[in-house]
Amino acid sequence: MPNYKKLLSHAFDFPVTVKYWDGKSETYGEGTPKAEIDINKELSMTEIAKHATLTLGEAYMDGDIDIKGSIQQVVASAYRSTTSFMHDKSFLKFVPKQGHSEKENTKDIQSHYDIGNDFYKLWLDPTLTYSCAYFEHDDDTLEQAQLNKIHHILNKLKPNRGKTLLDIGSGWGTLLYIAAEEYGLHATGVTLSQEQYDYTKDQIKKRGLEDLVDVQLEDYRKIKVQYDYITSVGMFEHVGKDNLPGYFKKVNELLKPNAHALIHGITGQHNGPGVEPWLTKYIFPGGYIPSVSKNLDYMIEANLQIEDLEPLRRHYQKTLEIWDHNFNDVRDQVREMFDERFCRMWDLYLQAAAASFESGNIDVMQFLLTKSPSGEGLPMTREYMYEEK
């Protein structure tokens, strides 16, 4: 198995024991192994060479590979190792163009978010917030950190009561409810997920917010009304590479003069492909993670002024670690809903994503944007973002 040895001998930056399908084992790296990788079935080196993460990810889902120890630590180690297969870009020729029609966008979003509200309720916090939390204190619960995040976003906008807000990709609606109940805003959400739309409509009625909150099952590109404020959390990762310039131009178009937007999303640290084949096949079809610099280019091209930029990488790592802990606490229930292959897939996704943030491979950014060079309505310094409300 010389090819496997060549592949694995430099794949990690800490010692790992590999057990092969024929009963042989070998430890790569010096010192006490921190993980064991069991290869239960011989895998095609040709397929690994073509698209390593896709082949290995599918092998883990199928039980052809097992990992004893932390998947997150193993993946983070592979990302840190500069000679790892995780840095092999040979799969790029297999990556499709990243443009999305409205029909494709709807299909991609529903394939992930319409798995079922009952599934997400099992392991998300009670607010059903499915994006990076914001841990103001070490002992913040996940629910508190998600509420912190929403307040942090709205506080950055410094909104005036009675004004209008559009949330592009509004999820299960918690930002909308808080914007209305605590900030006195007329809030509109837009989503392509039928499950999220139905849940939000029900919550609006239960909370008595019919006069302040609305949600639309619609592609954001069809919205025509301008707003005083726009928020968009975890959305631009879904629009596709070719649609990113248009996404930011649409944000500009939907903002009133001198209005502000807070755009929150995952970015790449390098100008790499922005596409991870396993992730786009099984978790986020059509997904694309732009680099920070590309996003800034698109914003400037859309005539948006950048007022503030804040990285939250470590916050997302912690969020994912809590999600994965919650997920594994209810794994038996998830298995009854789906099957073991689905459980392995989702566990791998959550831990690999946490590893990507831990290793600095990706980040999550909050961009505060305005149409006005004067920054009208915003203080000169950042202290206002942290004032008690």
PDB file of all heavy atoms in Angstrom, residues 6 18-19 27-28 36 46 62 73 77 86 97 101 126 139 144 163 198 232 240 254 256 288 299 332 339 344 358:
ATOM      1  N   LYS A   6       2.126   7.169   1.023  1.00  0.00           N
ATOM      2  CA  LYS A   6       2.515   8.473   0.481  1.00  0.00           C
ATOM      3  C   LYS A   6       1.451   9.522   0.784  1.00  0.00           C
ATOM      4  O   LYS A   6       1.758  10.660   1.127  1.00  0.00           O
ATOM      5  CB  LYS A   6       2.730   8.355  -1.025  1.00  0.00           C
ATOM      6  CG  LYS A   6       3.187   9.653  -1.694  1.00  0.00           C
ATOM      7  CD  LYS A   6       3.402   9.439  -3.181  1.00  0.00           C
ATOM      8  CE  LYS A   6       3.831  10.738  -3.857  1.00  0.00           C
ATOM      9  NZ  LYS A   6       4.013  10.554  -5.321  1.00  0.00           N
ATOM     10  N   VAL A  18      -3.086   4.465  11.503  1.00  0.00           N
ATOM     11  CA  VAL A  18      -4.003   4.034  10.448  1.00  0.00           C
ATOM     12  C   VAL A  18      -4.053   2.510  10.443  1.00  0.00           C
ATOM     13  O   VAL A  18      -3.015   1.842  10.366  1.00  0.00           O
ATOM     14  CB  VAL A  18      -3.558   4.545   9.065  1.00  0.00           C
ATOM     15  CG1 VAL A  18      -4.524   4.035   7.990  1.00  0.00           C
ATOM     16  CG2 VAL A  18      -3.510   6.066   9.059  1.00  0.00           C
ATOM     17  N   LYS A  19      -5.269   1.955  10.567  1.00  0.00           N
ATOM     18  CA  LYS A  19      -5.476   0.508  10.459  1.00  0.00           C
ATOM     19  C   LYS A  19      -6.088   0.223   9.095  1.00  0.00           C
ATOM     20  O   LYS A  19      -7.122   0.792   8.740  1.00  0.00           O
ATOM     21  CB  LYS A  19      -6.390   0.005  11.579  1.00  0.00           C
ATOM     22  CG  LYS A  19      -5.719  -0.021  12.939  1.00  0.00           C
ATOM     23  CD  LYS A  19      -6.566  -0.758  13.963  1.00  0.00           C
ATOM     24  CE  LYS A  19      -5.830  -0.897  15.296  1.00  0.00           C
ATOM     25  NZ  LYS A  19      -6.650  -1.639  16.293  1.00  0.00           N
ATOM     26  N   THR A  27       1.654   3.807  12.180  1.00  0.00           N
ATOM     27  CA  THR A  27       1.521   5.127  12.799  1.00  0.00           C
ATOM     28  C   THR A  27       2.367   6.123  12.022  1.00  0.00           C
ATOM     29  O   THR A  27       3.552   5.872  11.758  1.00  0.00           O
ATOM     30  CB  THR A  27       1.959   5.099  14.274  1.00  0.00           C
ATOM     31  OG1 THR A  27       1.088   4.231  14.998  1.00  0.00           O
ATOM     32  CG2 THR A  27       1.896   6.497  14.874  1.00  0.00           C
ATOM     33  N   TYR A  28       1.752   7.220  11.655  1.00  0.00           N
ATOM     34  CA  TYR A  28       2.442   8.277  10.915  1.00  0.00           C
ATOM     35  C   TYR A  28       2.640   9.466  11.845  1.00  0.00           C
ATOM     36  O   TYR A  28       1.697   9.924  12.501  1.00  0.00           O
ATOM     37  CB  TYR A  28       1.625   8.688   9.693  1.00  0.00           C
ATOM     38  CG  TYR A  28       1.357   7.541   8.745  1.00  0.00           C
ATOM     39  CD1 TYR A  28       0.120   6.916   8.740  1.00  0.00           C
ATOM     40  CD2 TYR A  28       2.345   7.090   7.883  1.00  0.00           C
ATOM     41  CE1 TYR A  28      -0.130   5.860   7.877  1.00  0.00           C
ATOM     42  CE2 TYR A  28       2.106   6.029   7.017  1.00  0.00           C
ATOM     43  CZ  TYR A  28       0.858   5.413   7.021  1.00  0.00           C
ATOM     44  OH  TYR A  28       0.620   4.363   6.172  1.00  0.00           O
ATOM     45  N   GLU A  36      -7.123   7.486  15.645  1.00  0.00           N
ATOM     46  CA  GLU A  36      -6.954   6.280  14.841  1.00  0.00           C
ATOM     47  C   GLU A  36      -7.943   6.327  13.688  1.00  0.00           C
ATOM     48  O   GLU A  36      -9.129   6.595  13.886  1.00  0.00           O
ATOM     49  CB  GLU A  36      -7.200   5.028  15.686  1.00  0.00           C
ATOM     50  CG  GLU A  36      -7.111   3.730  14.893  1.00  0.00           C
ATOM     51  CD  GLU A  36      -7.426   2.512  15.754  1.00  0.00           C
ATOM     52  OE1 GLU A  36      -6.714   2.328  16.764  1.00  0.00           O
ATOM     53  OE2 GLU A  36      -8.379   1.771  15.422  1.00  0.00           O
ATOM     54  N   THR A  46      -7.288   6.418  -7.518  1.00  0.00           N
ATOM     55  CA  THR A  46      -7.617   7.301  -8.640  1.00  0.00           C
ATOM     56  C   THR A  46      -8.690   8.291  -8.235  1.00  0.00           C
ATOM     57  O   THR A  46      -8.599   9.493  -8.516  1.00  0.00           O
ATOM     58  CB  THR A  46      -8.106   6.472  -9.847  1.00  0.00           C
ATOM     59  OG1 THR A  46      -7.079   5.569 -10.236  1.00  0.00           O
ATOM     60  CG2 THR A  46      -8.457   7.387 -11.018  1.00  0.00           C
ATOM     61  N   ASP A  62     -20.393   5.854   4.483  1.00  0.00           N
ATOM     62  CA  ASP A  62     -20.737   4.463   4.201  1.00  0.00           C
ATOM     63  C   ASP A  62     -20.127   3.485   5.210  1.00  0.00           C
ATOM     64  O   ASP A  62     -20.378   2.275   5.121  1.00  0.00           O
ATOM     65  CB  ASP A  62     -20.272   4.087   2.797  1.00  0.00           C
ATOM     66  CG  ASP A  62     -21.042   4.834   1.713  1.00  0.00           C
ATOM     67  OD1 ASP A  62     -22.200   5.230   1.969  1.00  0.00           O
ATOM     68  OD2 ASP A  62     -20.475   5.044   0.622  1.00  0.00           O
ATOM     69  N   GLN A  73     -10.597  17.335  15.310  1.00  0.00           N
ATOM     70  CA  GLN A  73      -9.145  17.449  15.448  1.00  0.00           C
ATOM     71  C   GLN A  73      -8.415  16.871  14.239  1.00  0.00           C
ATOM     72  O   GLN A  73      -7.418  17.424  13.781  1.00  0.00           O
ATOM     73  CB  GLN A  73      -8.693  16.747  16.729  1.00  0.00           C
ATOM     74  CG  GLN A  73      -9.071  17.486  18.004  1.00  0.00           C
ATOM     75  CD  GLN A  73      -8.503  16.815  19.246  1.00  0.00           C
ATOM     76  OE1 GLN A  73      -7.670  15.913  19.153  1.00  0.00           O
ATOM     77  NE2 GLN A  73      -8.957  17.254  20.411  1.00  0.00           N
ATOM     78  N   SER A  77      -6.236  19.172  11.755  1.00  0.00           N
ATOM     79  CA  SER A  77      -4.831  18.825  11.549  1.00  0.00           C
ATOM     80  C   SER A  77      -4.502  18.732  10.068  1.00  0.00           C
ATOM     81  O   SER A  77      -3.451  19.198   9.614  1.00  0.00           O
ATOM     82  CB  SER A  77      -4.529  17.493  12.242  1.00  0.00           C
ATOM     83  OG  SER A  77      -3.217  17.072  11.967  1.00  0.00           O
ATOM     84  N   MET A  86      -5.912  17.922   1.715  1.00  0.00           N
ATOM     85  CA  MET A  86      -6.951  18.948   1.863  1.00  0.00           C
ATOM     86  C   MET A  86      -6.601  20.194   1.059  1.00  0.00           C
ATOM     87  O   MET A  86      -7.464  21.019   0.785  1.00  0.00           O
ATOM     88  CB  MET A  86      -7.128  19.323   3.340  1.00  0.00           C
ATOM     89  CG  MET A  86      -7.544  18.175   4.230  1.00  0.00           C
ATOM     90  SD  MET A  86      -9.196  17.578   3.879  1.00  0.00           S
ATOM     91  CE  MET A  86     -10.165  18.732   4.838  1.00  0.00           C
ATOM     92  N   LYS A  97     -20.192  25.356 -12.821  1.00  0.00           N
ATOM     93  CA  LYS A  97     -20.360  26.798 -12.714  1.00  0.00           C
ATOM     94  C   LYS A  97     -21.289  27.111 -11.565  1.00  0.00           C
ATOM     95  O   LYS A  97     -22.193  26.356 -11.255  1.00  0.00           O
ATOM     96  CB  LYS A  97     -20.928  27.381 -14.021  1.00  0.00           C
ATOM     97  CG  LYS A  97     -19.893  27.494 -15.134  1.00  0.00           C
ATOM     98  CD  LYS A  97     -20.524  28.025 -16.386  1.00  0.00           C
ATOM     99  CE  LYS A  97     -20.992  29.459 -16.235  1.00  0.00           C
ATOM    100  NZ  LYS A  97     -19.915  30.408 -15.953  1.00  0.00           N
ATOM    101  N   SER A 101     -30.302  29.909 -11.176  1.00  0.00           N
ATOM    102  CA  SER A 101     -31.575  30.515 -11.539  1.00  0.00           C
ATOM    103  C   SER A 101     -32.448  30.553 -10.291  1.00  0.00           C
ATOM    104  O   SER A 101     -32.113  29.959  -9.268  1.00  0.00           O
ATOM    105  CB  SER A 101     -32.257  29.668 -12.621  1.00  0.00           C
ATOM    106  OG  SER A 101     -32.625  28.397 -12.090  1.00  0.00           O
ATOM    107  N   PRO A 126     -33.642  27.031  21.444  1.00  0.00           N
ATOM    108  CA  PRO A 126     -35.083  27.306  21.313  1.00  0.00           C
ATOM    109  C   PRO A 126     -35.440  28.407  20.324  1.00  0.00           C
ATOM    110  O   PRO A 126     -36.586  28.454  19.857  1.00  0.00           O
ATOM    111  CB  PRO A 126     -35.494  27.701  22.737  1.00  0.00           C
ATOM    112  CG  PRO A 126     -34.527  26.965  23.620  1.00  0.00           C
ATOM    113  CD  PRO A 126     -33.226  27.004  22.866  1.00  0.00           C
ATOM    114  N   ASP A 139     -19.568  31.828  29.713  1.00  0.00           N
ATOM    115  CA  ASP A 139     -20.614  30.927  30.189  1.00  0.00           C
ATOM    116  C   ASP A 139     -21.965  31.178  29.526  1.00  0.00           C
ATOM    117  O   ASP A 139     -22.988  30.661  29.979  1.00  0.00           O
ATOM    118  CB  ASP A 139     -20.750  31.016  31.712  1.00  0.00           C
ATOM    119  CG  ASP A 139     -21.088  32.424  32.199  1.00  0.00           C
ATOM    120  OD1 ASP A 139     -21.090  33.363  31.375  1.00  0.00           O
ATOM    121  OD2 ASP A 139     -21.357  32.577  33.407  1.00  0.00           O
ATOM    122  N   GLN A 144     -28.555  32.140  24.672  1.00  0.00           N
ATOM    123  CA  GLN A 144     -28.176  33.514  25.000  1.00  0.00           C
ATOM    124  C   GLN A 144     -27.241  34.082  23.931  1.00  0.00           C
ATOM    125  O   GLN A 144     -27.366  35.245  23.525  1.00  0.00           O
ATOM    126  CB  GLN A 144     -27.499  33.570  26.364  1.00  0.00           C
ATOM    127  CG  GLN A 144     -27.133  34.980  26.818  1.00  0.00           C
ATOM    128  CD  GLN A 144     -28.332  35.891  26.901  1.00  0.00           C
ATOM    129  OE1 GLN A 144     -29.287  35.595  27.611  1.00  0.00           O
ATOM    130  NE2 GLN A 144     -28.309  37.013  26.180  1.00  0.00           N
ATOM    131  N   LYS A 163     -39.244  52.564  11.649  1.00  0.00           N
ATOM    132  CA  LYS A 163     -38.631  52.389  10.334  1.00  0.00           C
ATOM    133  C   LYS A 163     -38.833  50.956   9.835  1.00  0.00           C
ATOM    134  O   LYS A 163     -39.326  50.081  10.556  1.00  0.00           O
ATOM    135  CB  LYS A 163     -37.139  52.720  10.391  1.00  0.00           C
ATOM    136  CG  LYS A 163     -36.836  54.159  10.771  1.00  0.00           C
ATOM    137  CD  LYS A 163     -37.169  55.109   9.635  1.00  0.00           C
ATOM    138  CE  LYS A 163     -36.669  56.515   9.930  1.00  0.00           C
ATOM    139  NZ  LYS A 163     -36.927  57.445   8.799  1.00  0.00           N
ATOM    140  N   ASP A 198     -43.706  28.609   6.816  1.00  0.00           N
ATOM    141  CA  ASP A 198     -44.875  28.184   7.583  1.00  0.00           C
ATOM    142  C   ASP A 198     -44.675  28.429   9.075  1.00  0.00           C
ATOM    143  O   ASP A 198     -45.580  28.889   9.774  1.00  0.00           O
ATOM    144  CB  ASP A 198     -45.162  26.697   7.336  1.00  0.00           C
ATOM    145  CG  ASP A 198     -45.628  26.413   5.917  1.00  0.00           C
ATOM    146  OD1 ASP A 198     -46.073  27.351   5.228  1.00  0.00           O
ATOM    147  OD2 ASP A 198     -45.542  25.241   5.499  1.00  0.00           O
ATOM    148  N   SER A 232     -28.979  40.414   6.466  1.00  0.00           N
ATOM    149  CA  SER A 232     -28.899  39.167   5.713  1.00  0.00           C
ATOM    150  C   SER A 232     -27.852  38.301   6.400  1.00  0.00           C
ATOM    151  O   SER A 232     -26.668  38.637   6.393  1.00  0.00           O
ATOM    152  CB  SER A 232     -28.525  39.433   4.255  1.00  0.00           C
ATOM    153  OG  SER A 232     -28.644  38.267   3.472  1.00  0.00           O
ATOM    154  N   GLY A 240     -24.335  31.497  -4.968  1.00  0.00           N
ATOM    155  CA  GLY A 240     -23.483  31.047  -6.063  1.00  0.00           C
ATOM    156  C   GLY A 240     -22.524  32.128  -6.513  1.00  0.00           C
ATOM    157  O   GLY A 240     -22.826  33.323  -6.475  1.00  0.00           O
ATOM    158  N   LEU A 254     -32.284  47.854  -2.930  1.00  0.00           N
ATOM    159  CA  LEU A 254     -33.371  47.751  -1.957  1.00  0.00           C
ATOM    160  C   LEU A 254     -33.198  48.691  -0.767  1.00  0.00           C
ATOM    161  O   LEU A 254     -34.108  48.812   0.063  1.00  0.00           O
ATOM    162  CB  LEU A 254     -33.493  46.316  -1.457  1.00  0.00           C
ATOM    163  CG  LEU A 254     -33.933  45.285  -2.505  1.00  0.00           C
ATOM    164  CD1 LEU A 254     -33.891  43.879  -1.927  1.00  0.00           C
ATOM    165  CD2 LEU A 254     -35.328  45.609  -3.013  1.00  0.00           C
ATOM    166  N   LYS A 256     -32.987  52.384   0.903  1.00  0.00           N
ATOM    167  CA  LYS A 256     -33.337  53.782   0.681  1.00  0.00           C
ATOM    168  C   LYS A 256     -32.066  54.635   0.729  1.00  0.00           C
ATOM    169  O   LYS A 256     -31.024  54.179   1.221  1.00  0.00           O
ATOM    170  CB  LYS A 256     -34.310  54.255   1.766  1.00  0.00           C
ATOM    171  CG  LYS A 256     -35.689  53.611   1.702  1.00  0.00           C
ATOM    172  CD  LYS A 256     -36.589  54.155   2.818  1.00  0.00           C
ATOM    173  CE  LYS A 256     -37.969  53.521   2.776  1.00  0.00           C
ATOM    174  NZ  LYS A 256     -38.846  54.019   3.867  1.00  0.00           N
ATOM    175  N   TYR A 288     -21.308  28.345  -2.243  1.00  0.00           N
ATOM    176  CA  TYR A 288     -20.019  28.904  -2.654  1.00  0.00           C
ATOM    177  C   TYR A 288     -19.567  29.885  -1.579  1.00  0.00           C
ATOM    178  O   TYR A 288     -20.329  30.767  -1.171  1.00  0.00           O
ATOM    179  CB  TYR A 288     -20.141  29.635  -3.993  1.00  0.00           C
ATOM    180  CG  TYR A 288     -18.868  30.351  -4.400  1.00  0.00           C
ATOM    181  CD1 TYR A 288     -17.833  29.655  -5.021  1.00  0.00           C
ATOM    182  CD2 TYR A 288     -18.690  31.707  -4.137  1.00  0.00           C
ATOM    183  CE1 TYR A 288     -16.654  30.296  -5.378  1.00  0.00           C
ATOM    184  CE2 TYR A 288     -17.514  32.353  -4.492  1.00  0.00           C
ATOM    185  CZ  TYR A 288     -16.501  31.647  -5.113  1.00  0.00           C
ATOM    186  OH  TYR A 288     -15.334  32.286  -5.449  1.00  0.00           O
ATOM    187  N   MET A 299     -18.878  44.465  -3.139  1.00  0.00           N
ATOM    188  CA  MET A 299     -19.567  45.546  -2.420  1.00  0.00           C
ATOM    189  C   MET A 299     -19.222  46.910  -3.018  1.00  0.00           C
ATOM    190  O   MET A 299     -20.091  47.754  -3.224  1.00  0.00           O
ATOM    191  CB  MET A 299     -19.182  45.506  -0.936  1.00  0.00           C
ATOM    192  CG  MET A 299     -19.709  44.296  -0.204  1.00  0.00           C
ATOM    193  SD  MET A 299     -18.982  44.159   1.448  1.00  0.00           S
ATOM    194  CE  MET A 299     -19.602  42.535   1.931  1.00  0.00           C
ATOM    195  N   ASP A 332     -29.831   9.060  18.427  1.00  0.00           N
ATOM    196  CA  ASP A 332     -30.752   7.937  18.285  1.00  0.00           C
ATOM    197  C   ASP A 332     -32.069   8.393  17.664  1.00  0.00           C
ATOM    198  O   ASP A 332     -32.656   7.679  16.831  1.00  0.00           O
ATOM    199  CB  ASP A 332     -31.020   7.288  19.644  1.00  0.00           C
ATOM    200  CG  ASP A 332     -29.810   6.524  20.173  1.00  0.00           C
ATOM    201  OD1 ASP A 332     -28.887   6.245  19.370  1.00  0.00           O
ATOM    202  OD2 ASP A 332     -29.785   6.216  21.374  1.00  0.00           O
ATOM    203  N   ASP A 339     -31.465   7.654   8.939  1.00  0.00           N
ATOM    204  CA  ASP A 339     -30.727   6.392   9.053  1.00  0.00           C
ATOM    205  C   ASP A 339     -29.320   6.703   9.548  1.00  0.00           C
ATOM    206  O   ASP A 339     -28.950   7.871   9.757  1.00  0.00           O
ATOM    207  CB  ASP A 339     -30.696   5.623   7.722  1.00  0.00           C
ATOM    208  CG  ASP A 339     -30.125   6.444   6.561  1.00  0.00           C
ATOM    209  OD1 ASP A 339     -29.303   7.353   6.812  1.00  0.00           O
ATOM    210  OD2 ASP A 339     -30.497   6.179   5.399  1.00  0.00           O
ATOM    211  N   ARG A 344     -24.042   9.911  10.238  1.00  0.00           N
ATOM    212  CA  ARG A 344     -22.605  10.038  10.004  1.00  0.00           C
ATOM    213  C   ARG A 344     -22.313  11.250   9.124  1.00  0.00           C
ATOM    214  O   ARG A 344     -21.340  11.978   9.336  1.00  0.00           O
ATOM    215  CB  ARG A 344     -22.059   8.755   9.373  1.00  0.00           C
ATOM    216  CG  ARG A 344     -22.074   7.564  10.324  1.00  0.00           C
ATOM    217  CD  ARG A 344     -21.685   6.276   9.612  1.00  0.00           C
ATOM    218  NE  ARG A 344     -20.269   6.232   9.284  1.00  0.00           N
ATOM    219  CZ  ARG A 344     -19.321   5.700  10.049  1.00  0.00           C
ATOM    220  NH1 ARG A 344     -19.639   5.159  11.218  1.00  0.00           N
ATOM    221  NH2 ARG A 344     -18.060   5.681   9.658  1.00  0.00           N
ATOM    222  N   GLU A 358     -11.578  26.467  13.117  1.00  0.00           N
ATOM    223  CA  GLU A 358     -10.468  26.327  14.061  1.00  0.00           C
ATOM    224  C   GLU A 358      -9.124  26.520  13.377  1.00  0.00           C
ATOM    225  O   GLU A 358      -8.214  27.162  13.921  1.00  0.00           O
ATOM    226  CB  GLU A 358     -10.529  24.946  14.720  1.00  0.00           C
ATOM    227  CG  GLU A 358      -9.395  24.674  15.695  1.00  0.00           C
ATOM    228  CD  GLU A 358      -9.422  23.264  16.256  1.00  0.00           C
ATOM    229  OE1 GLU A 358     -10.428  22.547  16.050  1.00  0.00           O
ATOM    230  OE2 GLU A 358      -8.433  22.861  16.898  1.00  0.00           O
TER     231      GLU A 358
END
